[in-house]
Amino acid sequence: AVPAAMAVDSAGTVTVAGITASRDYPVTPGAYQTTNFTTRPPSDTTSVFGGAPYSLPVTGYVTKLNATGSGLVFSTYLGGSSVDSISSMATDSAGRIYLGGVAISPDFPGLSVVPDACRPSYVYPLAFVTRLSADGSSLTETQLAFGLTPGLVALDGQGKATAQMGGALASLDLFAAPSPLVCTTDAADFAPLSSVAPGQLLSLFGEDIGPTPAVQAQPQGGFIPVSLGYTGLSVTFNDVPAPILYASTGQVNVQVPYEVADLASVTMKIQYGTASTAVFSVVPSQPSVFVQAAGYATCGYEIRESLLPVALNADGSVSGCGNKAPRGTFVTVFLNGLGLAGGHPVTGAIGTTSEAPPVSATASFSTEPVPVTADAGAINGVWQAQIAIPLGWSGPSLQFTLTVNGVAVRDSLVLWLK
């Protein structure tokens, strides 16, 4: 076990929190979690909060010792079936224990009200804050820091935490009233976002944020509409209406208006009965690739620490494990989040040509440029990239990264090869 934080109260009892890989770490009857639920190791063997490497999956623990150190007041695990860590702790005057750290498990404790698409994963770990009762027997709902750098830097013992996002700080309130909107992700790869780019396609997830049954937008006069019939749903960015591509009670897909391009930050408001807001920084671009699934790619016994893109083989068929791409051919992948690439895009407009925008793209396995074109027939925030598979490439797969206009796509990608 590795301790990460410690607190001593006025009676001299000591509370320690950290991580352990042990299956027989001492726990006490009646504690919140008496079983280590981890079932698989991390994608590599590195500690999830930057310590020494571990050969076994780690999980969090909280242990309270009596004043003499001779016995346990209580001791509990805290974690799900993957790899989770506790890195911060604070206590309040009632002895309740506030905990922060990094969650990778989608079944991390206290996430019962969080939609599946908003939960942590190996691909996108999330910072968390939660509170354990003074006797170690119960837990509050867990609050996640979406789009922020994993790792809480401060806890105040009153339900508030401060999380790091690059050089900025953001506040989390464990007991704030729940918002219908739970998280905002990139519509291509479902990465949690704290920033948006002009024209980027987003997926919003929550509870009762849209209509039932679901509604798919139909283009009107060459544009995706900003309202869907009589649903009463609207999404705005600094009061500029956003095109709505899809809406259901738990998910809404929209395009960020290109009009936000000159702003430093923007407030998104989703209105459906009640209103929810979220504030994002605005970046020129944050390219991503549409993927087939949010998890790492698998094919038979092969597992790659990369995502499987939505890709078309040269014959137009969908590329994948059951339809591998031939060497020496081109495979088409689809991009999101390129910002103002292509000149002066119009919010919500359906592309009508496959013109090549002024975009410079490269793949990590080659020095040759990757051709990028507009995706005719799709909303103009979607682009096509042609990946040339080397004829002499060895091995069952091609793993690579993309860079577009000097900005790296956040995910490593893989194509299965014939």
Side-chain angles (χ1 to χ4, degrees):
V2 179
M6 183 174 67
V8 182
D9 64 18
S10 58
T13 59
V14 179
T15 304
V16 182
I19 63 169
T20 181
S22 175
R23 295 283 172 174
D24 57 358
Y25 184 84
V27 292
T28 53
Y32 175 72
Q33 182 180 328
T34 57
T35 302
N36 181 343
F37 291 121
T38 54
T39 58
R40 62 182 188 270
S43 56
D44 58 26
T45 57
T46 303
S47 162
V48 289
F49 65 88
Y54 289 86
S55 59
L56 295 173
V58 297
T59 194
Y61 73 85
V62 183
T63 298
K64 189 170 186 177
L65 302 166
N66 62 25
T68 65
S70 60
L72 300 176
V73 177
F74 73 81
S75 187
T76 181
Y77 291 109
L78 185 66
S81 59
S82 293
V83 178
D84 307 300
S85 69
I86 296 172
S87 57
S88 304
M89 181 180 68
T91 58
D92 62 18
S93 59
R96 293 168 294 204
I97 303 163
Y98 297 76
L99 301 160
V102 180
I104 290 179
S105 301
D107 55 357
F108 187 84
L111 298 181
S112 60
V113 299
V114 177
D116 289 347
C118 300
R119 296 188 175 212
S121 68
Y122 271 122
V123 182
Y124 303 122
L126 291 172
F128 73 86
V129 60
T130 193
R131 189 183 77 175
L132 190 67
S133 61
D135 64 359
S137 66
S138 62
L139 197 75
T140 64
E141 292 292 337
T142 295
Q143 180 78 265
L144 297 171
F146 297 104
L148 303 184
T149 301
L152 276 293
V153 296
L155 293 159
D156 69 358
Q158 302 299 322
K160 293 185 179 180
T162 303
Q164 183 180 2
M165 181 182 67
L169 297 177
S171 179
L172 291 173
D173 187 349
L174 190 58
F175 302 110
S179 168
L181 175 65
V182 177
C183 73
T184 299
T185 72
D186 188 302
D189 61 5
F190 301 105
L193 298 178
S194 57
S195 60
V196 296
Q200 185 175 10
L201 303 183
L202 309 180
S203 291
L204 320 179
F205 293 96
E207 184 176 358
D208 197 27
I209 59 173
T212 301
V215 180
Q216 185 81 41
Q218 300 300 320
Q220 299 174 5
F223 286 82
I224 297 296
V226 297
S227 63
L228 298 178
Y230 298 99
T231 63
L233 170 67
S234 66
V235 182
T236 58
F237 290 77
N238 278 19
D239 297 325
V240 177
I244 303 173
L245 293 90
Y246 169 85
S248 68
T249 185
Q251 178 179 348
V252 175
N253 290 355
V254 300
Q255 181 181 46
V256 179
Y258 284 104
E259 288 83 348
V260 309
D262 295 327
L263 303 177
S265 64
V266 66
T267 299
M268 180 185 74
K269 180 179 180 180
I270 178 170
Q271 181 81 50
Y272 183 73
T274 58
S276 297
T277 60
V279 179
F280 302 93
S281 59
V282 178
V283 295
S285 69
Q286 50 183 7
S288 60
V289 173
F290 285 84
V291 300
Q292 296 188 32
Y296 287 146
T298 61
C299 187
Y301 294 105
E302 301 285 342
I303 301 175
R304 296 289 180 266
E305 293 175 26
S306 301
L307 302 186
L308 183 67
V310 175
L312 301 180
N313 290 335
D315 62 2
S317 62
V318 177
S319 187
C321 179
N323 187 32
K324 298 177 181 179
R327 292 166 171 81
T329 64
F330 283 89
V331 171
T332 303
V333 300
F334 300 87
L335 307 176
N336 181 31
L338 301 194
L340 296 182
H344 302 282
V346 178
T347 299
I350 301 297
T352 57
T353 67
S354 298
E355 62 181 340
V359 170
S360 172
T362 56
S364 57
F365 61 86
S366 173
T367 58
E368 295 297 318
V370 171
V372 175
T373 59
D375 186 14
I379 192 169
N380 60 11
V382 180
W383 307 84
Q384 296 183 359
Q386 306 294 319
I387 308 300
I389 300 175
L391 182 61
W393 190 264
S394 60
S397 64
L398 174 62
Q399 289 178 268
F400 63 99
T401 57
L402 281 175
T403 300
V404 184
N405 282 355
V407 181
V409 170
R410 70 172 63 88
D411 306 306
S412 172
L413 304 168
V414 64
L415 295 169
W416 300 110
L417 305 183
K418 286 185 178 178

